[in-house]
Amino acid sequence: DTGVSQDPRHKITKRGQNVTFRCDPISEHNRLYWYRQTLGQGPEFLTYFQNEAQLEKSRLLSDRFSAERPKGSFSTLEIQRTEQGDSAMYLCASSQAGALTLYEQYFGPGTRLTVT
Amino acid sequence: GESVGLHLPTLSVQEGDNSIINCAYSNSASDYFIWYKQESGKGPQFIIDIRSNMDKRQGQRVTVLLNKTVKHLSLQIAATQPGDSAVYFCAENIGSSNSGYALNFGKGTSLLVTP
């Protein structure tokens, strides 16, 4: 499978604990995005990497959230001191900059986080 | 604020019929729109896209129409099949080169295809 992969697929944690998610984008894609999706809603943009540089963070990304893409390949999203409001599906997407594919993003299956 | 929204939250159609899913947007500066399909437990899957300099674009069994005058977008699915049952999202480009052209998604329309 050469698509975007995410791990784990499901995570249940207690309030106050830290969690980390991993995303492996399509190998030749230099752009990587994190989105959050709550039940019944569309995905909301969180942050964007071009290669290893984090170029954009949305206001939804509080100080408890941090994302990295150290070698410009896989990325991690960490949430510290989780709150019940963090319960959501966390989606990763990747794309390759190019004249014909300026915007098209390919999504992974997501990590569903439940904070109890 | 400016947003992308959908007219109907759910749509039920019979197998073989054509489906039309509508979307309204309010950001007149949007220059690119995408339709995604999301099945239960999966991430959104790209269906078709359209740039603002176009009125219509066709794919395999799908057509996207863009009416910039009334800021309306629609997705037409021909000969709807049970495998088309999913939630459909329209999305618009909200970002710049700094944000990698991040997308703003609407709420979604649930399409149910009945035999």
Side-chain angles (χ1 to χ4, degrees):
Chain A
D1 187 355
T2 57
V4 178
S5 62
Q6 293 186 246
D7 183 70
R9 294 292 308 277
H10 304 274
K11 178 70 176 179
I12 300 174
T13 191
K14 293 185 177 179
R15 188 177 55 187
Q17 297 294 305
N18 299 343
V19 293
T20 301
F21 310 139
R22 176 179 170 124
C23 170
D24 286 271
I26 295 172
S27 59
E28 64 268 25
H29 286 185
N30 62 347
R31 293 178 172 168
L32 187 145
Y33 313 78
W34 285 98
Y35 289 82
R36 182 178 69 186
Q37 185 177 25
T38 54
L39 198 61
Q41 303 294 319
E44 297 172 292
F45 171 72
L46 291 178
T47 190
Y48 158 67
F49 290 85
Q50 181 158 322
N51 299 311
E52 66 277 7
Q54 186 174 19
L55 296 185
E56 187 84 358
K57 291 192 284 187
S58 108
R59 56 182 169 76
L60 295 176
L61 209 68
S62 76
D63 291 344
R64 296 183 297 105
F65 287 68
S66 63
E68 293 182 343
R69 194 183 184 198
K71 297 181 180 179
S73 55
F74 73 92
S75 175
T76 58
L77 178 68
E78 180 183 16
I79 309 174
Q80 296 182 325
R81 305 181 303 282
T82 52
E83 302 172 357
Q84 287 187 320
D86 296 331
S87 295
M89 175 78 84
Y90 290 85
L91 292 162
C92 177
S94 71
S95 71
Q96 175 65 24
L100 299 180
T101 60
L102 189 59
Y103 304 110
E104 186 173 336
Q105 296 175 24
Y106 297 84
F107 282 83
T111 293
R112 180 163 295 283
L113 173 66
T114 302
V115 182
T116 62
Chain B
E2 295 180 329
S3 64
V4 171
L6 291 164
H7 291 309
L8 296 173
T10 59
L11 178 65
S12 183
V13 298
Q14 279 197 315
E15 182 178 357
D17 287 351
N18 297 334
S19 304
I20 300 176
I21 301 171
N22 296 304
C23 178
Y25 67 96
S26 57
N27 185 356
S28 57
S30 295
D31 62 357
Y32 180 77
F33 304 89
I34 309 180
W35 282 99
Y36 279 92
K37 170 186 179 183
Q38 188 173 26
E39 297 174 283
S40 180
K42 296 183 179 180
Q45 177 187 0
F46 174 89
I47 301 174
I48 191 168
D49 59 2
I50 188 167
R51 294 181 183 269
S52 61
N53 61 354
M54 302 171 68
D55 297 323
K56 179 180 180 179
R57 190 164 189 221
Q58 286 185 296
Q60 188 176 13
R61 285 201 305 118
V62 294
T63 300
V64 56
L65 299 177
L66 176 62
N67 186 330
K68 293 179 287 294
T69 302
V70 295
K71 297 178 186 172
H72 183 268
L73 195 68
S74 69
L75 176 70
Q76 300 178 358
I77 305 173
T80 313
Q81 302 169 0
D84 295 327
S85 293
V87 177
Y88 289 80
F89 294 97
C90 65
E92 62 179 341
N93 161 46
I94 57 169
S96 64
S97 57
N98 278 346
S99 68
Y101 305 101
L103 299 173
N104 178 39
F105 284 79
K107 270 191 165 182
T109 292
S110 178
L111 176 66
L112 177 63
V113 181
T114 57

